[in-house]
Amino acid sequence: MKIAHLVPTLHPGGTETGLVDLAGAAREAGLELEVIALAATSETSQVSALQRLGVPVTELGLARWDPRAAPRTAALLRGRRVQLLHTHLPAADVVGSAAAARLRIPVVSTLHRIHDQPADRGNRLKRSAKIVARQRFTARTIAISQVQREWYRGLGAGSDVVIIPNGVVDPGPADPDVRADRRSALEVGPREVLAVMIAPMRRDQGHELLLDALEALPDGLPLAVALAGDGPLRPWLESRVDTSPDLVDRVRFVHRHQEPSTLLGAADLVLHTGRAGAAPTTLLRAMAAGLPIVATRVGNVPEIVTAATGVLVPLGAQPIADAIVALTEDGARRERLGTAARARFLAEFEAVGWARRLRAVYEDLLG
């Protein structure tokens, strides 16, 4: 079954990064993938990862809303004999619907975000226009969580929305030597607990909330914290840590291009203090690695992290600090939660199962 995925860009850190996980599971699910990006990116790690998995990648190199996007996409789809187009994010939804209509092939669209902040009249009109366009030109809409589907329905969207949570590739057991080397590079002592947070360093991810919580930790707690990722807040976060006596010896900043799986393989605990989130992939990777999680109770997070696999806390520095202390001091509980997290990952979020659920949607539309 030949499926093309259309995205605005393949820059690392975007919602489209899950395509690499899907590509890793596609063959076993009987899917042949193509990936088309409307814009080009100078950071080609994701492009290279897809190509290593045998997925043809085309970057059109177009500006946003370029009128050439739809005809050029249609030409690619026709030349590659694509049977169905799967789009991601609004720009790709618009272009993909126009291109697929020319070829009379079905379109599937995945919702990646929840926009529940107050909107002015202009934004509400744009949102309504997108919903109407999706209902008219998209054969099936996929929500990645129950919370997201209910949000979308609350906007007046149709009821024909199927829930298919994202998945990630199973990394397998961590290499003990790699784990030891990574912890040594981070200057984590043998008796210290290593907690990691992997998230784009932007305001909605709650890094400043985490630093507030870390400053509230008791002296002498055997905990080191590694922050991985990049974004506009990184310089400010680094400056704050450098000037805080409570943070400078506890917090490490990981290289911007550090592979998340390597860092998770060295960790004992994963932190997620975001203020919003439809379905953070980091949580799935943490569960795949068999790690317990401390996460804020926002968005779709409670559909991923349960009481059996981690600790959910309200937005606030002190609740986050209390949960971190409790898990740092209780190794048996960390192991119990991590084992349950790994089992839940294999049952619900492993990439091959995700790919097979998507294939069922494609088969239904193609008859």
Side-chain angles (χ1 to χ4, degrees), residues 11-12 42 44 87 108 137 147-148 151 244 251 268 295 301 314 335 362:
H11 191 277
S42 58
T44 60
T87 63
V108 171
F137 298 109
V147 167
Q148 189 184 53
W151 161 77
S244 171
V251 178
D268 303 296
V301 171
E335 183 174 356
Y362 303 154

Side-chain angles (χ1 to χ4, degrees), residues 199-205 207 229-238 256:
M201 293 182 180
R202 57 177 190 254
R203 193 163 299 280
D204 63 329
Q205 296 299 307
H207 289 83
D230 199 5
L233 281 186
R234 181 159 180 145
W236 179 85
L237 294 170
E238 290 175 335
R256 290 169 172 80

Side-chain angles (χ1 to χ4, degrees), residues 6-8 10 35-41 57-63 66 68-76 95:
L6 182 67
V7 295
L10 285 168
V35 174
I36 303 170
L38 299 176
T41 176
V57 177
T58 303
E59 292 184 289
L60 297 179
L62 300 175
D66 190 308
R68 297 172 294 173
R72 289 185 60 178
T73 300
L76 274 173
V95 171

Side-chain angles (χ1 to χ4, degrees), residues 54-344:
V55 176
V57 177
T58 303
E59 292 184 289
L60 297 179
L62 300 175
R64 188 174 178 85
W65 308 122
D66 190 308
R68 297 172 294 173
R72 289 185 60 178
T73 300
L76 274 173
L77 299 176
R78 183 186 298 111
R80 302 286 176 83
R81 301 186 179 221
V82 168
Q83 296 168 267
L84 180 147
L85 179 64
H86 192 149
T87 63
H88 305 265
L89 300 176
D93 292 340
V94 172
V95 171
S97 295
R102 298 183 181 207
L103 306 180
R104 297 184 179 180
I105 63 174
V107 178
V108 171
S109 173
T110 291
L111 301 169
H112 286 277
R113 297 169 181 167
I114 297 177
H115 297 285
D116 55 0
Q117 293 83 11
D120 58 26
R121 185 172 181 273
N123 286 331
R124 289 195 299 271
L125 289 173
K126 290 179 183 177
R127 192 176 292 172
S128 298
K130 291 174 185 176
I131 291 171
V132 171
R134 184 179 278 113
Q135 290 173 328
R136 181 173 179 181
F137 298 109
T138 301
R140 193 65 48 84
T141 297
I142 295 175
I144 57 180
S145 72
Q146 179 70 33
V147 167
Q148 189 184 53
R149 182 170 72 171
E150 294 308 312
W151 161 77
Y152 190 61
R153 284 178 172 176
L155 297 177
S159 59
D160 188 21
V161 179
V162 61
I163 299 175
I164 302 181
N166 289 341
V168 298
V169 170
D170 184 359
D175 185 321
D177 292 334
V178 173
R179 174 181 169 85
D181 289 346
R182 190 66 195 134
R183 290 174 70 92
S184 176
L186 290 170
E187 300 181 350
V188 179
R191 297 182 181 277
E192 280 188 297
V193 171
L194 175 60
V196 304
M197 180 170 174
I198 303 173
M201 293 182 180
R202 57 177 190 254
R203 193 163 299 280
D204 63 329
Q205 296 299 307
H207 289 83
E208 73 286 358
L209 189 61
L210 174 61
L211 296 186
D212 289 343
L214 296 180
E215 287 183 321
L217 296 179
D219 294 338
L221 186 73
L223 174 76
V225 178
L227 302 182
D230 199 5
L233 281 186
R234 181 159 180 145
W236 179 85
L237 294 170
E238 290 175 335
S239 175
R240 177 172 171 185
V241 168
D242 288 343
T243 56
S244 171
D246 294 321
L247 299 176
V248 68
D249 293 328
R250 191 185 296 280
V251 178
R252 291 90 161 117
F253 285 88
V254 179
H255 192 277
R256 290 169 172 80
H257 302 301
Q258 173 68 43
E259 179 63 36
S261 60
T262 304
L263 184 59
L264 290 172
D268 303 296
L269 175 64
V270 168
L271 307 174
H272 176 80
T273 58
R275 299 180 181 277
T281 303
T282 298
L283 300 183
L284 306 185
R285 300 196 192 282
M287 295 170 69
L291 294 172
I293 300 166
V294 172
T296 44
R297 191 182 289 107
V298 298
N300 176 49
V301 171
E303 294 180 46
I304 300 174
V305 181
T306 68
T309 63
V311 180
L312 288 171
V313 297
L315 282 169
Q318 195 57 53
I320 294 171
D322 292 343
I324 291 173
V325 170
L327 285 185
T328 299
E329 294 178 340
D330 194 340
R333 187 183 178 197
R334 290 199 309 273
E335 183 174 356
R336 185 169 63 252
L337 292 173
T339 299
R342 170 74 179 164
R344 179 166 167 76

